[in-house]
Amino acid sequence: MATDRTGLRPAGPGRTCIGCRGTDSRSALLRVVLGQGEHGLAVVPDPERRRPGRGAWLHPSVSCLDLAVRRKAFGRALRASTGPDVSEVVRWVADLAQGEPTDQHEDRKRVLRDEHPMSTQR
């Protein structure tokens, strides 16, 4: 993580991974929120960091995901009364590990990246 010019503090706000409990920048972590799944409450990945609600942060790696599931950290961090379903996050991290697109908006993001950076038309 980058530090400020004095070298004493981190430059930006740090987030803590609920799996390994390590601190990192927002860009290095995946935000997850509590949403409605097929069978009740579910943990939903929020790679765009725009979904409403209380969020938790996780390194997008299999090892941190396994630690978070084993410690039952999702329910605690998201303040869920029951253990939420984590299958969507497991699928998202597995797809990322295999190099497959993880978001249905991946094509849209690619198009936006190809546009001129100063374009005002979307």
Side-chain angles (χ1 to χ4, degrees), residues 26-118:
R26 285 177 46 151
S27 60
L29 297 169
L30 169 66
R31 182 176 186 261
V32 295
V33 295
L34 202 56
Q36 194 64 12
E38 294 176 13
H39 305 289
L41 292 178
V43 180
V44 180
D46 183 19
E48 296 171 349
R49 301 174 192 95
R50 299 209 191 301
R51 296 189 85 155
R54 182 174 181 83
W57 299 86
L58 177 75
H59 283 112
S61 68
V62 175
S63 60
C64 285
L65 177 63
D66 289 341
L67 281 171
V69 170
R70 199 172 3 163
R71 293 177 181 165
K72 300 178 182 172
F74 288 106
R76 239 184 347 268
L78 298 172
R79 296 186 180 165
S81 57
T82 61
D85 179 28
V86 296
S87 60
E88 289 187 48
V89 176
V90 170
R91 190 173 22 248
W92 197 92
V93 170
D95 288 349
L96 185 66
Q98 294 175 358
E100 296 177 9
T102 57
D103 193 9
Q104 66 264 21
H105 303 293
E106 189 65 25
D107 294 330
R108 185 173 142 279
K109 289 180 186 176
R110 190 175 304 119
V111 169
L112 292 177
R113 281 192 298 253
D114 292 341
E115 289 180 1
H116 189 276
M118 298 301 289

